[in-house]
Structure formats: C-alpha cells, structure tokens
Amino acid sequence: MTAVATRVPQLGFLGVGWIGRNRMQSLIACGAGAAAALADPDPALLAAVAAEVPGAATSDGLDGLLAHHLDGVVIATPSALHAEQAVRVLAADLPVFCQKPLGRDSREALAVVAAAERANRLLAVDLSYRHTEAARRIKALLADGAIGDVYALDLVFHNAYGPDKPWFKRRDLAGGGCLIDLGTHLVDLALWLTESQAARVRCARVLQAGKQLDKSGSDVEDFALAELEVGAAVVRLACSWWLPAGRECVIEAVLYGRDGALALRNVGGSFYDFEARLQRGTQSELLASPPDDWGGRALCTWAQRLGSDCSFDPAAHEYVAVAQLIDDIYAAAT
C-alpha cells in the first residue's frame, strides 16, 4: 500500500496571549505544524512572541493574517470574536482550530459548523481535557465495558482564582460566566465519554456572590449547579470561580457503573496534573498519572490530520451539541 503523502501545515495564529502562545509552543514542539504568521492587536506582546519564531510574518489582525499563504488558522482571541472570526477564515477556504467556546451560544456555534461544512474545511475546538491520558484511558475502558452500564456521573470544575481578564465577566463578551468557561469542558466530557447524543436538563441554579443571578442583566454567574440526563445516566455538574476550595482548583469526572467506577481527578490542586483510577468497592487501581504533556495535544492532532486531509469532519457537530446543552442549562436555571 502506498503511504499518503503529508506535509507540515503552515499555520497562522490569531491571538498570541497566554493560551495562543502556549498552543503555538506545543505545536512547534510536536512538529505537526509551523507558525508561519502571527497576529495580535498588542504590539509589545506580538513582538515578544514573534521573537520565538524567527521568520514568522506579523500583523495586528485577521485581515493581515489572511494576506499570507496559510494552510489553516488557530484562533485564540476573546470569546465574543470566535464565531465571526472562524466564519471569516472558513470563507477564505482555510481550516480552523479555535479555543472554546466556539461561540457564545449554540446559534453562533451552529453558524461556524455550518460554514465549515459548506467550505468542506477541517474544524476543531480546543476541548483539551478529552486529550489527557487520564481521559483516554477512561474512554478505552468504558468501550471495553470495564464498569458495565454507566448510570451516574459526578462532574466538578472549581477554579479558586477565577478569570484574569475583565471581558470574562461580561455576558455580551463571554456568553456567560463559569458555566460556559468551565462547564463547557464538563459537558463535553459527559457527552464524549458516554458517546451520548440525547441530553436533558432536569434542574439548574446559577449564582453570583451567593445570590441568584439576574439573567436579564449584563453580569455573569460565578457558581453553577445542574442535574442532567445524558443518555441513560443522571449527571450532577458543579463549577465555579473564586470558590474557597482550599486549593487552586478541583477538577473531577467520576463515572459510576454497575460493576465499578472510573475517575479522573486533578492531583494536588493542579490545573495540569491528572490521574485516572478504576474503583471497585473500596479498592482503587491507578490507571494513569503525571507527567502528561497534554495541553497542546488537541492542536497537534488537528494539525497532523491537516497535513494529509483538510476536509470537513462530521464530528464537528459535537460542538453544537455541547453549546446547546450549555444553553439549556442557562435557560433552566432559577
């Protein structure tokens, strides 16, 4: 059989703040793509990042980026810009890798996925926790029936620091608060791990500073709780900013089945270190543990595919399902 020829994609990075810079560095380290052009409205930041990739073209925005010959664009800008920018890139016949959320609501997410399908271009979103080794091990064991039918999930993401950019706290710019910021990852894990399409919100609460959020205002929640039905399983979801958690963060996804449980947990309050365990009764077996350099794995996976096939992947419809479930939680919240 003749091997499929691949090439190293030449990529543009739109937004080179912390997350954009981190993903660029991961891409270069894995060798799946090259940073050919960079764009950011902050000239000092742009110059600092450009110094790491000699030869990369620079500009202050998307128009300048699209003037260069590229094989795809990585979007790491504030959430309010994601959908519009992604649609513009796809209209230029280029694949897109976008930070989450793909849009501030399911309507925006659907518009991007529809644009990708029309253009027949590869679209991916940085739902990075499914790319941890811990999540991968859990996914494989679920497929093997290691814990039998899953009947319940506990999902938690508490960030004791909260966001460091003012736009996160504005509904018009972010789409919501901790639920869309952190809960998006939890909802994605619930749907992806259980391979579920059907989901329903039983009840939900969103709070700000311990009080019920006025959803008609411009403020966003800093605490959210929801009970969901995902496939045949009941799901309890909790996420927050600035919770007095006693550590930097708490991240957990525990799936309970007839024959045991599978658990993903962060280690020592870390945002980056995770372990996976198989639990039966009072016994616990370690399946995966740090170190695991997973942060840029989603981008590297997208870039590797781009090297041989830039066509639309129908799996992108999952991004709309995630956004719709987040919308449904907000709508059900009291």
Side-chain angles (χ1 to χ4, degrees), residues 3-249:
V4 176
T6 61
R7 60 185 298 272
V8 176
Q10 303 298 298
L11 303 177
F13 282 77
L14 181 61
V16 291
W18 181 87
I19 191 70
R21 188 177 196 169
N22 176 273
R23 297 305 187 248
M24 182 196 75
Q25 292 167 340
S26 294
L27 178 81
I28 294 170
C30 76
L38 314 174
D40 198 282
D42 183 334
L45 175 61
L46 183 62
V49 177
E52 300 177 14
V53 278
T58 60
S59 61
D60 63 359
L62 182 54
D63 288 337
L65 201 66
L66 293 177
H68 300 284
H69 181 73
L70 300 172
D71 297 308
V73 172
V74 179
I75 297 174
T77 56
S79 297
L81 306 176
H82 287 180
E84 179 184 359
Q85 291 172 338
V87 169
R88 285 186 60 197
V89 173
L90 290 161
D93 212 28
L94 292 173
V96 166
F97 182 88
C98 188
Q99 282 304 307
K100 61 82 193 165
L102 184 57
R104 290 169 290 180
D105 53 32
S106 60
R107 178 186 59 83
E108 288 190 346
L110 178 60
V112 179
V113 173
E117 194 161 18
R118 284 194 305 271
N120 193 27
R121 287 295 175 261
L122 189 62
L123 170 68
V125 177
D126 197 5
L127 295 168
S128 51
Y129 291 95
R130 61 161 77 175
H131 291 270
T132 61
E133 182 60 23
R136 289 176 167 184
R137 291 296 304 276
I138 288 173
K139 175 83 165 176
L141 285 172
L142 286 170
D144 288 342
I147 61 170
D149 294 334
V150 175
Y151 61 84
L153 290 82
D154 272 334
L155 305 171
V156 178
F157 198 150
H158 298 308
N159 178 348
Y161 286 132
D164 60 355
K165 301 290 193 304
W167 62 263
F168 275 93
K169 305 171 194 175
R170 287 181 49 181
R171 185 180 305 280
D172 59 333
L173 298 181
C178 63
L179 177 59
I180 194 168
D181 179 34
L182 309 177
T184 291
H185 287 299
L186 301 180
V187 166
D188 177 61
L189 284 174
L191 296 176
W192 178 70
L193 287 170
T194 61
E195 298 184 347
S196 297
Q197 301 299 320
R200 184 176 75 87
V201 182
R202 286 184 173 181
C203 57
R205 293 288 303 276
V206 293
L207 309 176
Q208 183 193 52
K211 298 180 180 179
Q212 183 171 322
L213 177 71
D214 178 5
K215 294 192 289 182
S216 66
S218 61
D219 293 335
V220 298
E221 77 285 352
D222 57 26
F223 188 88
L225 292 171
E227 185 174 295
L228 320 172
E229 291 176 3
V230 175
V234 62
V235 178
R236 296 188 300 181
L237 180 152
C239 57
S240 70
W241 293 333
W242 302 299
L243 190 79
R247 43 186 165 160
E248 293 184 352
C249 69

